[in-house]
Amino acid sequence: MIQNLIPTAKILRQSSKDFFNPYMLKLSFLPLVLSFLFWAVIFYFFAPSIFGSLFEMSKVELMLENGFFSWIQDVLDFVIKVTLFILFVIVFFLLSMLSNLVICAFLAEKVVKFVHRTYYSNLAMEGNQSIFGVVFFLFKAYLLYFFILVLLIPLYFIPFVGAFVMLFPSYWIFKKTLIADVGDMIFEKNSLKKAQEENKKELRKLAISLYALSLIPFLNFFIPFYALLGLSHFFFDVKNKGKL
């Protein structure tokens, strides 16, 4: 087991400092802002009508309008609306995260090289990514991700709880794609697998911290890019220990 890796809190602080480097801001600002504007416009124009349609489909008529228990209908309608609202908010976050993960897949090389030349220029970068390899990996990962989301559809409409179900497969795609984006550049395939296996707890702690930040409104558009910096520091630190 590799000991004395950089603590997660220190990685997050260093990544914050790197994020506001003029080069990083220039690299990330335009594509991430365009992603934000794209999804904001889509949801502004289409979400209300889709919300109304889903509410009508989900609404359960209890036929209690004139009875003493007519308030039950109002409560039920309220529960359905709140559940749909939570579902819409989470879907907005997840769609923006997924689009930003695609953007980050093509920015990862520049981010990793920035961290390398700034902090770890004494280390060799063993990975060898290609555009075709990136696209093929993303296609396979997203195909599996959407298949899992489809399987979970019956759970989404459980009041107050169901909408959060999709957060779990989204954590998987967040962690899997970003680790591949960064790790495949720093390590060759077998070394990356070994690095992940020997540092599971530390890597999981960092990934969960980054994913939790990605659920914060507005920040969710920038955290995948920020995560590239954090994971770059993590994997370079693993390599820097001289164990891999």
Side-chain angles (χ1 to χ4, degrees):
M1 180 66 68
I2 298 175
Q3 303 294 331
N4 301 318
L5 295 177
I6 299 177
T8 295
K10 186 175 181 180
I11 289 178
L12 297 179
R13 287 196 299 270
Q14 185 59 60
S15 300
S16 298
K17 179 181 177 181
D18 293 338
F19 183 86
F20 290 101
N21 179 279
Y23 174 73
M24 289 290 101
L25 289 175
K26 181 179 178 181
L27 183 64
S28 66
F29 184 78
L30 184 59
L32 297 183
V33 168
L34 288 178
S35 174
F36 171 78
L37 292 175
F38 173 79
W39 289 114
V41 169
I42 292 294
F43 270 73
Y44 178 81
F45 285 105
F46 295 102
S49 60
I50 295 175
F51 183 92
S53 298
L54 286 176
F55 175 71
E56 291 301 321
M57 292 171 56
S58 307
K59 187 176 181 180
V60 178
E61 293 288 353
L62 299 179
M63 310 302 288
L64 298 173
E65 290 84 354
N66 299 318
F68 176 78
F69 296 102
S70 59
W71 59 270
I72 297 177
Q73 183 71 60
D74 295 332
V75 171
L76 182 60
D77 290 347
F78 175 77
V79 169
I80 293 173
K81 287 181 179 179
V82 170
T83 300
L84 288 175
F85 178 78
I86 295 173
L87 180 64
F88 266 64
V89 170
I90 293 177
V91 167
F92 176 76
F93 287 157
L94 296 184
L95 287 175
S96 62
M97 182 192 75
L98 293 176
S99 63
N100 288 340
L101 288 177
V102 174
I103 293 171
C104 287
F106 296 97
L107 296 178
E109 181 178 2
K110 294 183 181 297
V111 174
V112 174
K113 287 183 176 179
F114 167 82
V115 175
H116 177 252
R117 68 173 176 265
T118 304
Y119 302 99
Y120 306 96
S121 58
N122 60 308
L123 302 177
M125 292 177 57
E126 303 169 359
N128 183 24
Q129 281 188 327
S130 66
I131 295 296
F132 175 78
V134 170
V135 172
F136 184 65
F137 171 79
L138 287 175
F139 175 77
K140 291 192 301 180
Y142 275 56
L143 191 63
L144 179 58
Y145 171 71
F146 286 118
F147 177 72
I148 295 173
L149 288 182
V150 170
L151 290 180
L152 295 175
I153 285 177
L155 301 178
Y156 297 157
F157 297 96
I158 299 175
F160 300 114
V161 177
F164 295 98
V165 170
M166 64 178 66
L167 293 178
F168 296 99
S170 298
Y171 165 72
W172 173 81
I173 194 74
F174 179 89
K175 179 180 177 182
K176 184 176 182 65
T177 55
L178 289 173
I179 286 177
D181 292 340
V182 174
D184 284 346
M185 291 195 61
I186 298 173
F187 296 103
E188 56 89 21
K189 186 175 181 179
N190 291 331
S191 295
L192 175 59
K193 185 177 180 180
K194 183 179 178 183
Q196 290 180 256
E197 289 176 350
E198 294 190 351
N199 299 277
K200 285 190 291 188
K201 290 184 179 179
E202 295 89 347
L203 185 55
R204 185 184 302 115
K205 182 179 179 182
L206 177 60
I208 291 175
S209 299
L210 292 167
Y211 182 65
L213 290 173
S214 76
L215 300 178
I216 300 175
F218 185 72
L219 282 183
N220 62 303
F221 283 90
F222 300 95
I223 292 302
F225 185 85
Y226 173 79
L228 292 178
L229 292 164
L231 290 168
S232 296
H233 279 289
F234 179 87
F235 282 121
F236 275 124
D237 186 52
V238 170
K239 180 180 278 288
N240 196 40
K241 302 306 178 184
K243 302 290 185 178
L244 293 168

